[in-house]
Amino acid sequence: MKFNLIYSLGKYTTFQTAENSFPENARSYDDRREEFSCKRQLTGFLMALSFLGLTCFSVYANDINVVAVVDRNKVELGSAFNFSLKIDGSQGLEPVKLPPIEGLESSFIGPSTRISIVNGQYSKSVSFNYNMYPIKIGRFEIPSLQIKIEGDVYQTQSIPIEVVDPGAGINNSQGYGDPGQSVTLQDKIFIVMGSPKNEYFINERIPITIKLLVNNLKVSQIQYPQFDHAGFTVEPFPEPPSYEKIIAGVRYNIWEFKTFVYPNRAGELTLGPAQLGCNMLFKGTNNRRRSIGSFGSIFDEGVFDGFFDTYAKKEVTLKSADLPFTIKFLPENGKPRDFSGGVGSFDFDVHIGPEEVRVGDPLTLKIKVAGNGNLKALRMPSMASVKGADENFKYYDPEIAETGRVKSLEQVVIPMSESVKEFPAIQFSFFDVAGNKYKTLRKGPFPVNVVPLDDDEQLKVVGLAPGEGRVEVNEKLGQDIGFINERLGKVYGSDFLLHRNAGFYVLIVLTFLLWGGCLTAYLITRRIKTDVKFARRLQAPRHARKGLASARKFLERDEQKDFYDALFQTLQKYFANKFHIPAGSVNIKNIERLVKEHDMEESLVGRIKSVFEDCEVVRYASIKVDKSKMASSFKQAEEIIDFFERKWR
Amino acid sequence: MAMKVYKTHFFIYLVISLMAFSGLAAGQEAAADGPRDFFVKGNLSYKDGQYAQAIEHYDKIIQKGKVSGPLFYNIGNAYFKMGKIGKAILNYERAARFIPRDHDLRANHQFALSLTRTVNKEKGRSFFAVIKKGVVGHFTMNEIFIALYLMLLTAGLAHLCALYFCWPKKLFRNCLVVLGLFFLLFMYEMIGRVKALDHLSIVTVNAHARFEPREEATTHFALNEGEKVKVLREVEGWSKIQRADEKAGWIKSGKIERITQF
C-alpha cells in the first residue's frame, strides 16, 4: 500500500493514490468520479493514519537529493513554462533566488511539499516553483545552480531552453527563425505616439494618436496612456477602437487612442513620452489539469487544449518616444479688435426672441459657436462689443455652456424704450488655420418690435437714471444690492487699528502694574497680620523716627533728663523690635551677643555702649552734661539706627 | 473782595468764550472740505447714477487719511453698479473691517459673491472653525483686542476679589476657566487676523495664475474677480498668490488689490 499526500503552502489540496491500485483506464468517467468522492471521504482517515505512522515508525529516509526540472524545453515567445527545484530529504529551507538568465525572466510562485510513506518509510521533499517568461527568441540555458544544504553544497544540472516564434509553430525546428535576426518581446508589443505635423499655432487643435501594437500575444486590462504635457491642455481620451492590421507582413492587433491637445504658449515644446500599462498573459503550464492526478490523462492532449489553457499574468509598462513641436504665435497683421481667441475653423449662429415684446420684457439672446478649435480658450461675443447695445438695451451676465464641440451663450437683454426697432448685428472673429488668416463672421441685425407699456404698468428699472426710460420690473431679475448708507459713521484715521497703537500697550502694562501693586500690598498686609517678628521689624524704624523726633525737641529745649530718657527708650524699643525680644531684656550684654550672632562690626558695640552709658549717667547719677555732649549722643543714636537700617533690614 | 471774585469770573468766561468761538470757527472751516462734505457729494452723485463721479468724491475722503465702514460700503455699491464686481467685493471686505454686523453690507457682499465663481472654502470646515466664526467672526479687530484686554482685567479683578474678599476657590477657578477659554478663542482669532492682515487681497479682474512669473508661462489655474487670495511674495510686478484651496501661482500684481491698503 502506498499513499502520497501533497501539500501546497502548508494547505491540503488533493491526493494521489498508487497507480496500480486503480486500473482507471478500464473504468468509465462516472465510475471514477464516484470512486473519487469515496476517496475524499477516506482522506481524513488516511491522513490521520499516515501521521500516526510518522509517530510510530522511526525509520527516515535522510538522503538529500537536489533536482532541477522544467515542464518543457521548447516554448513559444509569449508562453510561460514551469521551472522547479526539487529537494528531497531536507526541511526548513529558504526559497532559492534565481540568477539573471539571458532571454528569460523568472517569477517565484511558491513552495510545495510532498510527504510519502512507503512501507512504513517516511520521506519528504520540497519543491520551489518558478514561472519562466521568455523575452526573446533563441536558444538559452538555465544555468547550473549551487545550493548549500546543512553545510554541503549540491549542484543541479543546466537545462537548455529553446524559445520559438509562435507564428512558426512549436513543432517547427526552425521556429525561432533566422539566427541572425533577434526577435524580442519589445518587437511584439509596443506603443507609438504620433501627430500629422510638428508645426502649429498657439491654441491650435493638435490631433494626437497613441497606438498599442500587439503581435500574437495576449494582453488584458489595458490602461489609458499617460504623457507629460507641460505647455499643453489635453482633452480626455474616448474609448479606443481596436482592429487588426498587417504591417510589413506582420499581423498586429492594434488599440488606437485618439485625443486632441492645445498648446498654451509658443516655442519649442515636447509632448510625451507616452506610457501605457497593461497585463501580458503568458500561456501557462496546465498545472491545474495535472493536479487532478489520475483524471488528467483524459485531457492531456486533444480538442480541450485551448479551452483549458491557463495563463500567467505579468504587469508591463510600455513607453513610446517623445514628440517635439514648434508652436508659433498668431500673426499680428490683420488681427481684428474683437478677436475671440479661437484658432481653427468655426461657424456661429445667433437667435434672438421673441420678435415682439413690451418695454421691459426680456429678450433671450442665444449664440452658438461650433468648430474644431479650442473652445475653452474662446471668448464668446459680448454685449459690450455690440455697437448700440449699451444705449438701447439693459443686459445681464450671460450663461455660457459647452457641450461637445459646441459652445453656447444665453443672455437676457431688455429693450429700454419702444423706439428700439432692431437688435444690432453680432460678429465673431477667429483665426482660420486652413486659410492662414483671420476671419470675421457677421449675423444680424435682427428686427424686434417693442410695444409701449400701459400707464398703470409703468415701473422704473433699478439702476436707471431719471427719465431714461420706464420699464416693467421682471420678478426673476429683481435681485439687486441694497441702497447706499446716508451716514458716514464713525471716521477713523489711517492708524485705526488698536493693536498698532502704542498707547493701548501702555494701558495694558499699567493695568499689570496696578494688579501687581495690589497683590504685593495684600501679601505684605497678610504677613504683617500673621508674622509678629516681621511686623515688629517693619515698624522698628518708624517708631525710632518718632522717638528721635521727641528727643530732638528735648535737646533743643536743653532738658537733659527728659532728653536722655527719650533717647534711651527710643534705642531700647528699636532694638526690641529689631531683634524681636522683650524691651526689658535690652541691655549692653544682650545687644553685644546679638551683634555677634548677626556678624556685625565689633566697633558698633562700643558706640552703643557709649550712648547707653551716657543715658545711665544722666538718668540715674543726675550728672550735668553740656549741650554739645547731648548733641553728640543724639548723633550717635541716629548713626546707630541708620547703620542697622542700612546693613540689616 | 467781591470785586476780586467778579474779575476772576469775568476772566474765566472770557477764556471759555474765546475757546468756544475759535473751535466753532475752525469746525466750520473744516466742514467746508471735510469728509462729510465729500461723502454727501458722493451720495448725491450715486443717486444721480453718476457712479464714477461718486467714487471720485469718496476717494477724496480716503486721500485725506480718513476711512469708515459706510464709506467703503458705498464705494462697493458704486463699483457694483458699474459692473465691477471684483472691486465691489474688495470694498465690501474693507467695510467689513469696520461694520461687520451691518445687515445691508452682509446682504450686498453675499449677493456680489453669488455673481462670481469663486472657490468656496465654506464646505468641509471643521467644527472648531464654525464655532470660532459664530463667536468671534462678527467682531472687528479692535473689538477683539478690547475684549482681550477686558478679559485680562476681569481675571485680575477676580483674582484680587478672591484674595481681599475671600471668594470661594471653586468660584474663582470656574471664573478663570471660562475666561481662559474665551481668551484663547479670541487670541487665536486675533493672531490669525493679524497674520493675514497685510497679505489678504482680492482679485479685481478675471485672470490666470501661472506657474512662473512671466507672461508666456503655462497657466496653472483660473482666478475669478472677487476671489480672496493670500499674497505670499512679490517679484517685479508679479505676485505669488495662494487660493482658498491652497493652490499657488503667479499673477500680475495689478490684477489684485490688498484689502488693508486703501
Side-chain angles (χ1 to χ4, degrees):
Chain A
M1 189 71 176
K2 176 184 173 186
F3 292 100
N4 290 334
L5 302 177
I6 299 173
Y7 287 81
S8 177
L9 295 169
K11 184 183 174 186
Y12 170 76
T13 54
T14 182
F15 69 92
Q16 288 180 326
T17 58
E19 286 179 5
N20 58 359
S21 301
F22 298 97
E24 57 194 60
N25 291 338
R27 300 178 186 204
S28 71
Y29 177 71
D30 288 340
D31 288 347
R32 276 186 277 112
R33 283 289 299 271
E34 195 176 337
E35 204 159 16
F36 184 72
S37 98
C38 292
K39 281 187 287 183
R40 283 178 68 95
Q41 289 173 1
L42 287 170
T43 303
F45 174 70
L46 295 174
M47 278 181 67
L49 201 64
S50 63
F51 277 108
L52 189 66
L54 279 175
T55 54
C56 294
F57 302 104
S58 58
V59 184
Y60 293 92
N62 285 330
D63 292 342
I64 293 174
N65 187 27
V66 179
V67 183
V69 290
V70 292
D71 61 346
R72 51 196 160 137
N73 290 84
K74 197 168 186 177
V75 62
E76 292 174 346
L77 187 65
S79 296
F81 65 94
N82 186 262
F83 171 70
S84 295
L85 209 55
K86 190 178 172 191
I87 301 163
D88 294 326
S90 184
Q91 302 179 48
L93 292 171
E94 290 294 315
V96 178
K97 191 179 177 186
L98 295 185
I101 304 167
E102 192 203 345
L104 301 171
E105 279 184 6
S106 62
S107 164
F108 180 61
I109 304 170
S112 65
T113 307
R114 179 187 291 257
I115 298 168
S116 339
I117 306 162
V118 181
N119 296 329
Q121 288 223 340
Y122 166 80
S123 66
K124 183 180 176 184
S125 70
V126 180
S127 293
F128 297 117
N129 302 309
Y130 304 84
N131 264 345
M132 306 299 287
Y133 306 103
I135 56 173
K136 60 182 179 182
I137 287 171
R139 287 199 178 94
F140 308 105
E141 186 181 79
I142 299 173
S144 171
L145 301 171
Q146 289 191 332
I147 300 155
K148 197 172 182 182
I149 304 168
E150 296 171 10
D152 296 325
V153 177
Y154 295 86
Q155 191 163 6
T156 65
Q157 73 282 14
S158 62
I159 303 171
I161 298 294
E162 191 178 325
V163 181
V164 297
D165 189 346
I170 201 151
N171 296 323
N172 180 0
S173 60
Q174 298 300 316
Y176 52 89
D178 182 1
Q181 186 189 354
S182 175
V183 179
T184 64
L185 211 53
Q186 281 79 12
D187 297 325
K188 300 181 82 61
I189 179 166
F190 54 93
I191 60 169
V192 287
M193 180 164 71
S195 173
K197 53 182 185 167
N198 291 90
E199 201 171 282
Y200 291 93
F201 284 108
I202 195 165
N203 265 333
E204 190 179 342
R205 193 183 199 211
I206 305 174
I208 297 293
T209 307
I210 297 170
K211 287 179 184 174
L212 166 65
L213 293 97
V214 181
N215 168 232
N216 217 2
L217 294 175
K218 289 193 186 302
V219 289
S220 70
Q221 294 181 15
I222 300 166
Q223 295 162 14
Y224 282 101
Q226 293 180 334
F227 52 87
D228 292 335
H229 55 272
F232 292 89
T233 304
V234 182
E235 283 191 359
F237 286 100
E239 188 76 25
S242 66
Y243 54 89
E244 277 189 3
K245 192 174 180 183
I246 295 171
I247 302 169
V250 181
R251 182 184 295 275
Y252 287 100
N253 287 321
I254 300 174
W255 283 263
E256 197 168 291
F257 297 89
K258 283 185 172 177
T259 187
F260 296 95
V261 299
Y262 304 95
N264 299 328
R265 55 185 158 101
E268 299 296 326
L269 301 182
T270 303
L271 208 61
Q275 291 190 328
L276 183 143
C278 64
N279 285 340
M280 273 190 65
L281 301 175
F282 287 87
K283 204 170 177 181
T285 54
N286 291 337
N287 284 337
R288 180 186 57 77
R289 283 209 325 265
R290 290 180 184 192
S291 67
I292 296 172
S294 56
F295 304 103
S297 58
I298 293 177
F299 304 105
D300 274 349
E301 299 290 340
V303 293
F304 297 104
D305 256 3
F307 187 73
F308 287 107
D309 277 347
T310 57
Y311 287 91
K313 193 163 67 175
K314 186 172 171 58
E315 279 184 21
V316 290
T317 302
L318 306 168
K319 196 173 177 181
S320 76
D322 53 13
L323 208 54
F325 288 102
T326 303
I327 308 300
K328 300 182 290 184
F329 282 110
L330 293 173
E332 286 298 321
N333 191 18
K335 192 174 188 176
R337 286 183 66 187
D338 60 346
F339 174 55
S340 64
V343 179
S345 173
F346 296 96
D347 191 13
F348 93 125
D349 186 36
V350 180
H351 176 264
I352 187 153
E355 288 179 359
E356 184 175 307
V357 288
R358 293 192 302 173
V359 172
D361 273 353
L363 288 166
T364 306
L365 170 70
K366 290 179 181 173
I367 303 174
K368 283 186 179 176
V369 177
N372 60 8
N374 185 2
L375 291 177
K376 282 189 173 56
L378 186 143
R379 288 186 299 278
M380 296 296 278
S382 71
M383 285 294 291
S385 64
V386 176
K387 199 175 177 183
D390 275 342
E391 292 87 37
N392 298 320
F393 295 91
K394 181 177 174 62
Y395 50 87
Y396 291 84
D397 285 348
E399 282 183 17
I400 296 172
E402 207 178 306
T403 315
R405 301 301 315 156
V406 179
K407 193 166 186 173
S408 58
L409 172 147
E410 199 167 313
Q411 191 166 20
V412 171
V413 292
I414 301 170
M416 294 196 292
S417 73
E418 59 269 27
S419 63
V420 174
K421 299 298 174 200
E422 62 179 27
F423 188 84
I426 293 177
Q427 57 185 34
F428 172 71
S429 300
F430 63 95
F431 183 76
D432 183 20
V433 176
N436 199 21
K437 63 179 181 182
Y438 291 97
K439 260 190 175 177
T440 299
L441 305 176
R442 186 182 166 91
K443 294 283 166 79
F446 306 91
V448 179
N449 186 18
V450 183
V451 182
L453 288 174
D454 298 336
D455 285 346
D456 56 345
E457 286 181 316
Q458 287 185 348
L459 292 167
K460 192 180 175 187
V461 165
V462 177
L464 282 181
E468 203 170 334
R470 290 183 170 281
V471 293
E472 180 186 333
V473 173
N474 187 326
E475 283 300 317
K476 285 182 183 176
L477 307 172
Q479 281 189 311
D480 207 335
I481 55 169
F483 194 55
I484 52 169
N485 206 325
E486 299 280 1
R487 291 183 172 187
L488 183 56
K490 190 178 177 186
V491 179
Y492 298 87
S494 52
D495 57 342
F496 66 96
L497 288 169
L498 211 50
H499 75 278
R500 288 179 177 166
N501 190 332
F504 201 79
Y505 289 101
V506 171
L507 182 66
I508 291 172
V509 171
L510 286 176
T511 309
F512 268 104
L513 288 176
L514 187 68
W515 173 75
C518 291
L519 187 64
T520 311
Y522 170 80
L523 292 173
I524 290 171
T525 313
R526 197 177 67 169
R527 192 164 176 197
I528 287 170
K529 282 179 184 170
T530 54
D531 188 348
V532 180
K533 188 178 174 183
F534 174 77
R536 289 186 73 186
R537 208 167 67 194
L538 205 69
Q539 289 168 352
R542 201 170 67 216
H543 288 302
R545 276 196 297 276
K546 277 185 184 173
L548 286 173
S550 167
R552 186 189 292 276
K553 282 177 187 169
F554 292 124
L555 173 67
E556 285 167 358
R557 291 203 290 262
D558 199 16
E559 293 171 0
Q560 291 180 14
K561 193 168 182 309
D562 292 338
F563 167 74
Y564 279 105
D565 275 343
L567 199 63
F568 180 78
Q569 280 169 12
T570 300
L571 287 173
Q572 187 185 39
K573 203 170 183 181
Y574 177 75
F575 288 124
N577 284 336
K578 202 74 183 172
F579 295 111
H580 190 45
I581 53 175
S585 63
V586 176
N587 52 40
I588 287 295
K589 196 178 173 184
N590 282 341
I591 287 171
E592 192 175 359
R593 182 177 55 80
L594 288 166
V595 165
K596 279 180 184 172
E597 276 177 12
H598 291 92
D599 296 329
M600 289 195 218
E601 293 174 29
E602 292 286 332
S603 62
L604 193 66
V605 180
R607 291 165 69 185
I608 297 169
K609 199 176 175 182
S610 163
V611 177
F612 270 42
E613 279 174 359
D614 289 349
C615 292
E616 281 173 9
V617 165
V618 176
R619 286 173 71 206
Y620 303 118
S622 301
I623 293 171
K624 294 277 181 187
V625 291
D626 58 8
K627 201 172 180 180
S628 62
K629 178 69 179 170
M630 285 165 67
S632 167
S633 300
F634 183 81
K635 194 180 177 188
Q636 275 193 347
E638 262 187 338
E639 283 172 356
I640 289 164
I641 290 167
D642 184 56
F643 179 85
F644 271 92
E645 284 307 304
R646 277 189 289 109
K647 299 283 181 183
W648 193 62
R649 290 185 65 83
Chain B
M1 183 70 185
M3 190 65 186
K4 192 178 179 183
V5 170
Y6 173 74
K7 276 183 179 175
T8 311
H9 284 187
F10 175 75
F11 180 72
I12 291 169
Y13 291 144
L14 186 68
V15 169
I16 291 172
S17 303
L18 280 172
M19 283 173 68
F21 180 75
S22 61
L24 195 64
Q28 281 176 342
E29 194 182 348
D33 290 323
R36 288 181 204 286
D37 183 53
F38 286 119
F39 189 72
V40 171
K41 282 181 185 172
N43 286 358
L44 289 172
S45 297
Y46 183 96
K47 285 171 190 169
D48 288 343
Q50 306 294 324
Y51 303 120
Q53 202 178 347
I55 290 168
E56 276 179 27
H57 287 305
Y58 294 139
D59 275 344
K60 281 176 185 166
I61 303 173
I62 298 170
Q63 283 162 15
K64 284 178 175 288
K66 301 292 177 192
V67 288
S68 81
L71 173 67
F72 286 122
Y73 167 78
N74 286 8
I75 295 173
N77 276 10
Y79 274 120
F80 186 94
K81 289 291 183 186
M82 290 171 75
K84 294 180 177 177
I85 304 294
K87 285 269 195 182
I89 291 171
L90 170 73
N91 283 285
Y92 290 145
E93 284 280 351
R94 285 172 176 169
R97 309 263 151 177
F98 300 92
I99 45 170
R101 295 179 293 279
D102 187 276
H103 292 293
D104 285 342
L105 170 66
R106 284 159 72 176
N108 287 8
H109 192 186
Q110 286 299 321
F111 182 55
L113 282 173
S114 72
L115 299 177
T116 65
R117 284 172 290 174
T118 53
V119 173
N120 189 0
K121 207 190 170 188
E122 295 290 315
K123 288 175 187 172
R125 288 200 316 157
S126 68
F127 176 72
F128 176 70
V130 173
I131 292 289
K132 187 165 71 71
K133 191 183 175 186
V135 177
V136 289
H138 302 305
F139 290 112
T140 64
M141 283 181 76
N142 285 355
E143 285 168 347
I144 292 174
F145 206 59
I146 290 168
L148 283 170
Y149 171 71
L150 289 177
M151 278 183 230
L152 278 179
L153 198 67
T154 311
L157 281 174
H159 182 220
L160 292 177
C161 286
L163 292 176
Y164 280 98
F165 305 113
C166 301
W167 277 9
K169 278 187 178 176
K170 197 177 174 184
L171 176 67
F172 172 63
R173 199 170 53 230
N174 290 346
C175 279
L176 218 58
V177 167
V178 173
L179 272 172
L181 287 174
F182 274 98
F183 186 83
L184 287 177
L185 189 67
F186 275 65
M187 191 51 123
Y188 183 77
E189 174 73 9
M190 186 71 190
I191 290 168
R193 287 201 198 182
V194 169
K195 272 186 179 175
L197 188 63
D198 293 328
H199 301 288
L200 285 182
S201 294
I202 298 289
V203 179
T204 50
V205 287
N206 288 338
H208 286 106
R210 299 179 188 278
F211 280 99
E212 298 168 48
R214 56 191 178 90
E215 202 69 69
E216 304 80 32
T218 307
T219 300
H220 190 191
F221 53 86
L223 285 164
N224 299 299
E225 60 176 346
E227 204 158 340
K228 197 187 279 185
V229 294
K230 188 177 175 185
V231 179
L232 302 176
R233 64 191 174 107
E234 287 179 306
V235 177
E236 294 169 358
W238 289 81
S239 298
K240 187 177 185 183
I241 53 95
Q242 189 177 44
R243 209 166 61 168
D245 60 358
E246 300 196 341
K247 272 189 177 178
W250 291 89
I251 183 174
K252 278 205 161 179
S253 299
K255 293 182 177 177
I256 54 171
E257 271 191 52
R258 300 210 184 205
I259 295 172
T260 50
Q261 285 179 4
F262 312 131

